[in-house]
Amino acid sequence: MPLAPLSLSLTVFSRKIAKNHPDLFQRLGEHSRTAFVLDPTDLPIVLCLDPNDGMPKVKLTRGRGTGAARISGPLAALIGLVHGAFDGDALFFSRDLVIEGDTGAALALRNAIDDAELDLSHEAAALSGPFARPVQRLIALAERQTGLCLTRPEDVAIW
């Protein structure tokens, strides 16, 4: 399967998120141009994220990808981190999450995502215009079928 169309779609999606949450990329500070590799260890692809000063670019690739920081772990853990469903420190110390390279950049990304309180399903539904309701139902079904945390839990406590 060619990865270019999905890469383009994820770039559009990430730019929509950047528009809705400008603080997310501003909070990266000196790392706003740092390339990140997000490596779901249970998939044969990696996601290369270039924040590009708030105009993010996403590229899916097979193999290791290149970036200053690599964050590896199961897809469920990576998505759960975005939604605040999992504690990044607990995942790191249990070795379910591995950080390589520029750990300062990885920490900046984590903090920026935590502060943004993202809900990827809400962002996807908002992009869908008149199809928002069916998209939300499809995401809920996918969440039930896969066990992935595709929405932000209602009762996430912010400490």
Side-chain angles (χ1 to χ4, degrees), residues 54-113:
M55 286 296 291
K57 297 176 188 174
V58 177
K59 180 180 178 187
L60 292 178
T61 187
R62 292 177 178 85
R64 287 198 45 87
T66 57
R70 172 182 296 279
I71 304 167
S72 303
L75 179 64
L78 296 173
I79 293 175
L81 283 172
V82 170
H83 290 124
F86 299 126
D87 180 342
D89 292 335
L91 289 172
F92 177 76
F93 288 113
S94 69
R95 295 195 170 116
D96 289 317
L97 190 68
V98 176
I99 311 293
E100 298 175 277
D102 188 341
T103 55
L107 184 59
L109 180 64
R110 175 199 161 188
N111 289 339
I113 289 171

Side-chain angles (χ1 to χ4, degrees), residues 103-131:
T103 55
L107 184 59
L109 180 64
R110 175 199 161 188
N111 289 339
I113 289 171
D114 281 350
D115 287 351
E117 297 184 12
L118 295 175
D119 185 326
L120 297 178
S121 66
H122 175 75
E123 300 292 336
L127 255 176
S128 304
F131 300 105

Side-chain angles (χ1 to χ4, degrees), residues 22-50:
D23 291 350
L24 172 64
F25 292 97
Q26 291 169 359
R27 181 136 160 71
L28 287 173
E30 68 183 88
H31 303 291
S32 67
R33 289 186 119 349
T34 300
F36 297 90
V37 176
L38 306 175
D39 181 4
T41 55
D42 46 355
L43 293 179
I45 58 173
V46 297
L47 186 144
C48 301
L49 169 66
D50 176 0

